[in-house]
Amino acid sequence: MDGISVLATKRRPRFRRSPEPVAFRVTEGDVLILRELLRHRFLRSTHIAALVGRSLDRTNDRLCRLFHAGYVDRPRAQLDHYPTAGSAPMVYALGEFGAHLLSERGVDCPNHVNLDLTRNNREAGRPFIEHQLEIVDFHVALERSTRGRSDLRLIHPEEIIANSPEHIRNIRNPFALRATISQSERAHDVVVVPDLVFGLMFSDGSRRCFMVEIDRGTMPISRSDFRQTSFERKMQAYLTAHSQGQHAQQFGWKTFRVLVVTTDRQRTLSMVETLRRLDMPQSPGPSLFLFSLANELQRNDLLAHFWRDGSGRATRLS
């Protein structure tokens, strides 16, 4: 048995790289994994397998080798999860060697990749990572729903940015919407950044555009002080930005809808009730928002699923 085979049979530590040298050659399939980590920041091994079209066993083998060779990281914030859920899929992030390799291949890397990746991955807290993974859950479900369909295709965030005006492409958060909202005789500048932005292009050339909010149930729906974050303030920002046509100026869209994925039915009802009380002139009103529960989306095809808008009407995305 050669040295590589012997090493492969040894159980390696989950969160410490092996001190033993590993004979390792990066493949084009590995580069694809690194590109997906660059794109999404954090991914479970199951996400990666689905995105690159490999079996989970083969994906786990390559991820293990990439980790011990320094191309990917395993954020330690997931460490406290393993005593009770040792079989949970491992979470990965792009490592410094991986970022350098992509840069050498001419891949355009966002600003955060130029920082100390290992430190950033190490310091990322568990709530932040879990929120990012829920966004990825949605994104992967969306890709599965659109894959292989001839009647529509998915418009990725990168394509939306590429087709935006140059001054939009060069700002830090191209999808940020800014709104000035008058509240209690005071003007407040509010910025809302969607968790995900995508479009659906249909065979007749028409398209539908969406912004996504993954709500984990931690943000108050309303607050007495408008300066503090709340979901009500977020909804007001979307309504105001739409009424001012920011989507047309930034992305050339005729319109868009906001998809809200939340935790339970009572919270959804509270959001809808709050939304219906908002008086925002020249905005689409409650119909701008479509609501669904996260556990319902897990059971259904995302595009075939019936969402409900703020007025109670059921509709599908496609």
Side-chain angles (χ1 to χ4, degrees):
M1 185 178 293
D2 60 35
I4 298 177
S5 301
V6 170
L7 189 57
T9 63
K10 294 181 179 179
R11 183 174 182 81
R12 299 173 184 171
R14 289 183 184 271
F15 297 97
R16 286 185 296 104
R17 290 189 170 91
S18 173
E20 302 178 44
V22 180
F24 184 77
R25 183 177 63 84
V26 177
T27 67
E28 288 303 314
D30 295 332
V31 173
L32 183 57
I33 289 175
L34 299 177
R35 284 177 176 270
E36 293 296 344
L37 287 170
L38 171 67
R39 181 180 175 200
H40 294 285
R41 182 70 192 279
F42 297 105
L43 290 172
R44 296 188 185 94
S45 56
T46 47
H47 290 145
I48 296 170
L51 289 169
V52 304
R54 284 183 175 178
S55 70
L56 184 56
D57 285 345
R58 187 180 176 199
T59 301
N60 281 331
D61 176 70
R62 297 310 299 179
L63 286 169
C64 181
R65 294 174 182 274
L66 287 166
F67 171 70
H68 287 285
Y71 289 89
V72 303
D73 286 339
R74 292 171 174 169
R76 295 188 66 85
Q78 63 188 303
L79 185 60
D80 61 345
H81 191 58
Y82 277 90
T84 56
S87 60
M90 188 77 75
V91 178
Y92 288 89
L94 185 66
E96 289 190 22
F97 285 2
H100 290 320
L101 177 64
L102 292 179
S103 180
E104 290 171 358
R105 293 193 173 213
V107 177
D108 187 22
C109 296
N111 289 335
H112 76 266
V113 175
N114 296 324
L115 304 175
D116 184 347
L117 270 181
T118 300
R119 185 196 65 190
N120 287 352
N121 294 334
R122 183 174 63 248
E123 293 179 354
R126 185 170 169 185
F128 175 76
I129 292 176
E130 288 181 345
H131 184 229
Q132 296 302 305
L133 292 174
E134 288 177 9
I135 297 170
V136 175
D137 285 339
F138 186 97
H139 202 163
V140 171
L142 184 62
E143 294 202 5
R144 285 175 171 167
S145 295
T146 55
R147 189 175 295 161
R149 290 186 59 161
S150 59
D151 59 328
L152 60 79
R153 72 173 181 87
L154 177 62
I155 306 174
H156 292 281
E158 298 87 349
E159 182 179 347
I160 295 172
I161 294 300
N163 292 326
S164 298
E166 185 176 355
H167 72 279
I168 297 297
R169 296 197 300 268
N170 293 332
I171 63 177
R172 182 173 182 179
N173 289 315
F175 292 118
L177 298 177
R178 291 166 172 79
T180 300
I181 301 173
S182 186
Q183 190 79 10
S184 301
E185 300 182 350
R186 291 188 57 186
H188 300 267
D189 292 326
V190 180
V191 178
V192 61
V193 181
D195 290 322
L196 179 66
V197 178
F198 72 95
L200 297 175
M201 179 69 75
F202 297 88
S203 55
D204 62 1
S206 64
R207 63 180 177 178
R208 296 179 185 176
C209 303
F210 302 93
M211 297 188 171
V212 183
E213 286 288 337
I214 306 295
D215 173 66
R216 306 186 70 235
T218 56
M219 178 182 288
I221 295 176
S222 299
R223 289 183 189 261
S224 57
D225 188 346
F226 189 79
R227 293 171 298 179
Q228 296 179 303
T229 58
S230 69
F231 208 83
E232 177 181 8
R233 191 177 81 156
K234 187 173 285 192
M235 291 191 292
Q236 284 183 271
Y238 277 117
L239 289 166
T240 302
H242 191 286
S243 69
Q244 295 173 349
Q246 288 193 35
H247 53 289
Q249 299 168 22
Q250 291 181 219
F251 317 118
W253 296 350
K254 291 182 179 179
T255 189
F256 69 93
R257 307 291 288 274
V258 181
L259 306 181
V260 180
V261 182
T262 189
T263 53
D264 61 77
R265 199 163 301 282
Q266 185 56 51
R267 185 168 172 83
T268 304
L269 293 174
S270 297
M271 286 180 174
V272 171
E273 182 180 345
T274 301
L275 175 60
R276 290 176 179 175
R277 290 199 303 264
L278 297 177
D279 182 19
M280 309 294 292
Q282 299 180 324
S283 78
S287 64
L288 181 65
F289 296 87
L290 299 176
F291 296 87
S292 185
L293 300 183
N295 59 5
E296 291 179 347
L297 291 180
Q298 291 170 359
R299 297 192 300 265
N300 299 317
D301 180 284
L302 198 148
L303 297 186
H305 176 70
F306 279 100
W307 299 68
R308 291 201 174 270
D309 71 13
S311 300
R313 293 184 292 265
T315 185
R316 291 175 172 170
L317 302 189
S318 59

